[in-house]
Amino acid sequence: MFQMFYDWFWWDRLWLPVNLTWTDLEDKDSRVYAKASHLYVTVPYALVFLLIRYVFERWVATPLAVTAGIRRRVHLKVEDQPLLELFYTTRCQSPTQLDIDGLSKKSSLSVRQIQRWFRRRRSQDRPGVLKKFREASWRFVFYLLAFVGGIFALHDKEWFYDTREVWTGFPKQSMLQSQYWYYILEISFYGSLVFSVTFDVKRKDFKEQIVHHVATLVLLSFSWCVNYIRIGTLVMLVHDASDVLLESAKLFNYAKWEKTCKTLFVLFAVVFMGTRLIIFPFWLIHCTWVYPVQHYPPFFGYYFFNVMLLVLLVLHMFWAYLILCMIRKFLFGTVSLLKSVKSESVSSDTQVHQCLGSE
């Protein structure tokens, strides 16, 4: 049964154009191709990323936060109430008045005492600014290095300037060393985000972030296996561009440098709209939708790749709406950006690249 599924899953007609087989993507004639087996290394690399992140947040981000005047918030630990704790963890964190009345009858506590307990319990779970600052610092450093590395790897490639060149000679395009490391490190990083989702700060777009991370990993893995590496590197670069600005705006927000935060956030919004809602659909999706059929008939992999890109585009539109709401609040309303960021929790990060979003 497993062998049948394996053979069906890797059937040439699903993932490759007509008249091409996986044997055409075997290393030969001095050409080196990406292989699915290469992706196994991303699992230990993702764990290494978690270790590096721990060291970075402890020994770099925390001292930097202290320098910026950010301190660890001390929560008053709530008194031990097994009945209330059970309700909090299994039912809901904000009980209705009817629930509170019922809990009051079952316990020896008054309604006011129960309300105070739930307020303190929610406050105890609320992540502090220091934790958010450390997470944003880690993401900022990665996205900055990834963006600079992407520019360095692509600036001298013809498909960076003319997207038609993405499909020249496809799929017999030899993989470059820079492409290998760009892909492997990006996939490993997003894998580490999936591993850390249980202890990272939970934001309002948590579900969208999970969808984004999964879509990113699927998209990157698929493009790797079928040698869509040229377009994959362009997609990653476009997404990294705005992530750097978002994370830097968060850092200044947490440090309460509001003017700098506003400037960076507006710049982020401009870059986000330009890269995610203009370049991504009208250049990159156009490149994957129109140009391939000029070389070979459409096949399942062609439709699959474009559908995954459209999923990312929908997420970009969702995040763009949140961003515009925040800008409207602090530019045309009475709410400051500091309060606006806390209320909206927009995410673009951690966006493949969040492909390819984050708070």
Side-chain angles (χ1 to χ4, degrees):
M1 176 66 75
F2 176 79
Q3 186 62 40
M4 288 180 59
F5 174 78
Y6 180 87
D7 292 340
W8 171 82
F9 183 82
W10 292 107
W11 185 34
D12 311 78
R13 294 285 64 77
L14 280 179
W15 309 114
L16 297 177
V18 64
N19 298 328
L20 285 172
T21 65
W22 293 113
T23 56
D24 293 312
L25 296 181
E26 293 179 354
D27 297 350
K28 56 186 175 182
D29 299 331
S30 71
R31 288 195 179 99
V32 179
Y33 298 104
K35 301 176 182 62
S37 59
H38 291 160
L39 298 179
Y40 295 146
V41 76
T42 60
V43 176
Y45 279 14
L47 298 177
V48 171
F49 264 118
L50 291 177
L51 178 60
I52 296 174
R53 173 181 171 177
Y54 173 80
V55 173
F56 175 85
E57 291 186 356
R58 184 179 180 88
W59 300 107
V60 178
T62 299
L64 184 62
V66 172
T67 302
I70 300 172
R71 298 289 187 272
R72 185 186 301 274
R73 186 170 60 182
V74 179
H75 296 282
L76 292 176
K77 187 172 178 62
V78 297
E79 58 189 47
D80 187 25
Q81 294 290 347
L83 178 64
L84 302 186
E85 183 67 29
L86 179 64
F87 186 95
Y88 182 88
T89 55
T90 60
R91 294 280 298 278
C92 72
Q93 299 179 2
S94 300
T96 64
Q97 187 60 47
L98 185 63
D99 292 328
I100 292 175
D101 293 338
L103 291 170
S104 180
K105 292 177 181 178
K106 294 178 182 179
S107 65
S108 58
L109 302 174
S110 66
V111 169
R112 185 176 295 275
Q113 286 176 315
I114 292 177
Q115 291 173 333
R116 185 185 303 116
W117 188 93
F118 274 97
R119 281 198 305 271
R120 291 180 176 176
R121 184 66 179 84
R122 287 193 296 269
S123 177
Q124 185 175 301
D125 280 354
R126 193 172 298 124
V129 175
L130 179 59
K131 180 176 176 60
K132 294 179 180 179
F133 184 91
R134 291 187 302 196
E135 286 188 13
S137 298
W138 166 246
R139 289 173 177 147
F140 168 76
V141 169
F142 176 82
Y143 289 133
L144 178 62
L145 294 177
F147 180 69
V148 172
I151 291 291
F152 179 78
L154 295 172
H155 77 281
D156 58 344
K157 306 300 186 294
E158 57 271 20
W159 60 87
F160 182 68
Y161 305 96
D162 182 3
T163 53
R164 288 182 176 86
E165 293 296 325
V166 165
W167 306 106
T168 300
F170 177 84
K172 297 182 179 182
Q173 300 167 337
S174 184
M175 179 180 63
L176 305 176
Q177 192 77 0
S178 58
Q179 293 173 325
Y180 173 86
W181 286 110
Y182 195 15
Y183 252 84
I184 292 300
L185 293 178
E186 288 277 358
I187 294 175
S188 300
F189 176 74
Y190 279 99
S192 73
L193 292 183
V194 172
F195 291 154
S196 66
V197 72
T198 56
F199 56 82
D200 281 346
V201 174
K202 299 294 188 300
R203 297 181 172 89
K204 291 184 178 181
D205 63 345
F206 174 75
K207 293 181 180 178
E208 289 80 6
Q209 282 292 330
I210 295 297
V211 173
H212 174 271
H213 295 341
V214 173
T216 295
L217 288 172
V218 171
L219 186 61
L220 289 176
S221 300
F222 169 76
S223 61
W224 175 268
C225 293
V226 298
N227 211 29
Y228 279 14
I229 293 179
R230 289 185 179 181
I231 187 62
T233 54
L234 293 177
V235 170
M236 290 189 291
L237 184 66
V238 162
H239 285 75
D240 283 335
S242 60
D243 290 337
V244 176
L245 295 169
L246 175 63
E247 299 304 332
S248 61
K250 288 182 189 178
L251 293 176
F252 285 103
N253 169 52
Y254 299 143
K256 293 182 169 53
W257 290 32
E258 187 164 1
K259 289 184 178 179
T260 306
C261 177
K262 277 187 177 183
T263 302
L264 287 171
F265 188 81
V266 171
L267 183 59
F268 154 73
V270 172
V271 174
F272 182 95
M273 302 300 173
T275 55
R276 308 294 183 91
L277 300 184
I278 297 178
I279 294 178
F280 182 67
F282 296 109
W283 269 266
L284 301 188
I285 293 183
H286 179 268
C287 171
T288 62
W289 195 271
V290 175
Y291 298 150
V293 295
Q294 297 175 2
H295 298 269
Y296 48 78
F299 58 104
F300 175 79
Y302 162 84
Y303 292 113
F304 177 81
F305 187 72
N306 281 287
V307 166
M308 295 304 296
L309 291 179
L310 291 176
V311 169
L312 292 175
L313 180 59
V314 171
L315 290 173
H316 295 165
M317 295 170 68
F318 167 77
W319 284 315
Y321 168 75
L322 296 182
I323 292 168
L324 292 175
C325 287
M326 291 175 64
I327 291 177
R328 178 178 58 83
K329 283 185 177 182
F330 77 83
L331 287 184
F332 306 107
T334 58
V335 180
S336 70
L337 179 60
L338 295 175
K339 294 181 179 179
S340 183
V341 169
K342 291 177 183 177
S343 66
E344 293 293 347
S345 266
V346 175
S347 175
S348 138
D349 133 77
T350 248
Q351 275 162 1
V352 140
H353 289 323
Q354 256 165 23
C355 180
L356 278 150
S358 160
E359 179 179 21

